[in-house]
Amino acid sequence: MPSKDPSTRRKWLTPRKALVAGVAVALALTGCTSARSVGQNTGDGKPVDGGTLTVAMALDALPSGLFGTLDRNWPWVDNVFEPLIRLEPGTRKVDPVLATKVDVAADGKSAKVSLRKGVSFQNGQPFTADAVKFTIEKSIDPASGDNLAFVAKQFTDVTVDSPTSLTITFGKVLGDSFLDYLNQTEIVDPSSFAGLADGSQVVGTGPFSFGDWRPGAGFTLSKYKDYWDAKQVHLDKIEYVVTTDPTAEINAVKSGRAQVAYGMAPVNAATFQNNKQYDFVKGGGSIYPIGLNIQNAPLNNKAVRQAIAYAIDRKRLNSQVFAGLGTVTDLPWAPGSAGVGKSREQHYTYDPDKAKKLVKDAGAEGAEVTITYNRSNATVNAEYQIIANNLTAIGLKPVADGRDQPNYQAAQSQGTIPGAFLTLHGQVGLSPSTIAQALPTLRKGNTSHMATPEYLELSAALADATNSKDSEKALGELSDYMLDQAFLNTMIQSPGAVVASTSVKNIDVSIRGLLLFKSAYVSK
């Protein structure tokens, strides 16, 4: 949790005139991210110092994927590394972390960033503006896998003014996306960066240092004694135990072997929801769409794509696959985003009769629709069964194309999926303009091959908007076009679920769903 020191809680992001509207957009457009703190203080309000917290997680850490915002890293990464700022869930209010001030120029095309003094990396190296510049440069490298690299690529210059100050110049006004980039990008130590590749050196500025990694089994975070805000840190250690079997993960929490569980399937996490021994918190999450390659028959016919959108029983998906924890919506933006409205979010109501007629009128009865998906993902597998039945009911012939994760990911990124595809995006918490530019299923060169002049113009209009009025108008128009073309039919936005024993207090969950143990402790 951010420091309560009033000097660091002031209104410190200071946009001058021209970008005031752009920043207002960043604060307004994403208002529905459901992340909350897990646990409250003990009765006397005094945190308990010391002790070890044990976290069960479904997948092992992957330090080499630091910039890739991989879900498997979210339980630990923001406790070892830190960004320049954090955006508060729900409000997108800016909280300072490694930056103490960001002063945006009047024309909105540069920002002077002031850094926190007296900060060091866990190997003793000082945190300086050179480290920030190095981090920006590394995030642009295609090898980093950074989904927000497109933001940094629009920085025309990064000048180090002093050890605690740098100036970033933009090619255009960035608004929302600039804040998303500052919030997401973890600052790395240049001297040890190469060690991330094999996990031999995982060095940040955070409250805990990474060590004792046993690939496939777990690792340990230990309290960093020279942390810049050490008074807020209470735990001595955090033990992470890789628990791939869903039943074993449930049992680890119920038996007390682990106090926190991360990465449970929604149907398993929901079993803890009404149990007073546990806190259950929604945080971050994923967007679950069905994408359609518009180049190949029968999906090159818009009527068939719309038929599929009407055919999918989203409420059944939410109930049976997501235990009712998700939100049914037809769009990838956060539900309630300004400029969208309920009528757009619920545009495609379940209507199999209408879908069947659209298929018949299009002359597509009996047409095969290959559905490609990651067969190793239990949630997506469960989705496929329902969707295949839905498509069969309207006269189409779904053909399963289940692939392992590497092959599926390669096909999605290379645009070689032939028909329909089931995917998920962990981009909940980002602003709509960032989502439109970041998702591989929406950005230029997307998996569906949607590249009409109208689509590209509408997407660019959202990215280029510099005030809330223009942003809302652009978002509404882009949403209308996406719904009409039906090339990416969002079905569910499902939150990530954190289950914790009530003995654990003051865990924070970031706007993107990362766990923050800086102020956490275990009560006695």
Side-chain angles (χ1 to χ4, degrees), residues 232-245:
Q232 297 288 331
V233 185
H234 307 294
L235 293 168
D236 289 332
K237 288 185 179 181
I238 308 172
E239 294 285 355
Y240 289 82
V241 180
V242 178
T243 313
T244 57
D245 180 74

Side-chain angles (χ1 to χ4, degrees), residues 306-308 310-311 351-360 394:
Q306 292 178 341
I308 290 173
Y310 280 116
D351 193 339
D353 291 336
K354 185 172 184 176
K356 192 170 185 177
K357 185 176 186 304
L358 284 168
V359 169
K360 182 178 180 181
I394 66 169

Side-chain angles (χ1 to χ4, degrees), residues 94 110 136 150 191 276 283 517:
V94 179
S110 67
I136 292 171
F150 73 90
S191 70
K276 294 182 179 179
F517 293 116

Side-chain angles (χ1 to χ4, degrees), residues 1 34-42 53 259-262 277-283 496-510 513-517 519-521:
M1 180 173 283
S34 53
R36 298 289 185 270
S37 291
V38 184
Q40 304 298 321
N41 287 331
T42 53
L53 178 69
Q259 292 85 43
V260 178
Y262 182 93
Q277 292 180 295
Y278 305 96
D279 284 312
F280 177 87
V281 172
K282 301 175 182 179
V498 178
V499 175
S501 165
T502 52
S503 65
V504 185
K505 310 298 179 182
N506 289 359
I507 304 173
D508 277 350
V509 185
S510 79
L514 286 75
L515 299 189
L516 307 173
F517 293 116
S519 300
Y521 64 93

Side-chain angles (χ1 to χ4, degrees), residues 85-142:
I85 67 169
R86 286 199 179 100
L87 299 174
E88 288 189 357
T91 66
R92 285 178 62 88
K93 178 183 178 294
V94 179
D95 280 327
V97 185
L98 293 179
T100 56
K101 186 178 181 182
V102 176
D103 190 11
V104 179
D107 63 0
K109 293 187 176 181
S110 67
K112 188 176 182 66
V113 182
S114 300
L115 304 178
R116 192 177 295 281
K117 298 177 181 178
V119 177
S120 64
F121 288 98
Q122 293 137 3
N123 59 2
Q125 293 293 316
F127 162 68
T128 66
D130 286 320
V132 177
K133 182 175 181 178
F134 177 86
T135 299
I136 292 171
E137 292 170 346
K138 288 300 178 183
S139 75
I140 298 172
D141 186 340

